Amino acid sequence: MSVNEIDEFITVLLILIGSIISVISALGIIRFPDVYTRSHAATKSSSLAVLLTLSGCFLYFWLTESYISIRLILGIIFVFITAPVSGHLSIRAAYRSKVKLSESTIEDELKEVFQAKE
């Protein structure tokens, strides 16, 4: 194998792993019982999937064409910063709106925090 083939294999592997994680995330959104666990699947694994896919694309262009894409770097940074924050804020809004937890939930750690503030 030449260096170019190894570079292409690594980038394709990153993109493939990102795609697989994206499918798993979609299944988690469908299968999980309440808004809190669904949001966890939507933010954590989806942001990882997008980061892997964009990283694979960035490496492909960098290693094969010697082109450094600022758009891909900004996309990676933007997803890395905004996805967890938006997930946290949507979950917090759902909790404050008193959206019920799943029946299989064992512990509500925020209950004490919000009761102390009231």
Side-chain angles (χ1 to χ4, degrees), residues 7 16 58 63 70 74 87 96 99 102 104 115:
D7 292 343
L16 181 66
F58 175 77
L63 297 174
I70 300 299
L74 289 174
R96 287 188 174 195
V99 175
S102 171
S104 62
Q115 284 180 349

Side-chain angles (χ1 to χ4, degrees), residues 47-112:
S47 61
L48 177 64
V50 170
L51 290 174
L52 285 173
T53 304
L54 290 179
S55 298
C57 292
F58 175 77
L59 285 176
Y60 177 77
F61 288 121
W62 183 35
L63 297 174
T64 60
E65 299 181 14
S66 299
Y67 175 71
I68 296 177
S69 175
I70 300 299
R71 289 181 183 173
L72 285 173
I73 292 172
L74 289 174
I76 291 169
I77 292 170
F78 183 73
V79 169
F80 185 70
I81 292 173
T82 59
V85 172
S86 65
H88 174 76
L89 291 176
S90 65
I91 291 297
R92 188 176 213 182
Y95 192 84
R96 287 188 174 195
S97 298
K98 301 194 184 333
V99 175
K100 294 201 181 248
L101 296 168
S102 171
E103 294 175 2
S104 62
T105 302
I106 298 171
E107 185 176 354
D108 182 7
E109 295 179 0
L110 288 176
K111 188 174 187 179
E112 299 169 1

Side-chain angles (χ1 to χ4, degrees), residues 8-54:
E8 288 179 5
F9 178 76
I10 290 171
T11 56
V12 167
L13 186 66
L14 283 174
I15 294 170
L16 181 66
I17 291 171
S19 302
I20 291 170
I21 291 175
S22 180
V23 169
I24 292 171
S25 173
L27 291 174
I29 292 171
I30 293 170
R31 300 275 303 169
F32 284 155
D34 60 357
V35 68
Y36 305 105
T37 53
R38 287 180 184 159
S39 178
H40 177 77
T43 56
K44 305 286 185 189
S45 57
S46 293
S47 61
L48 177 64
V50 170
L51 290 174
L52 285 173
T53 304
L54 290 179

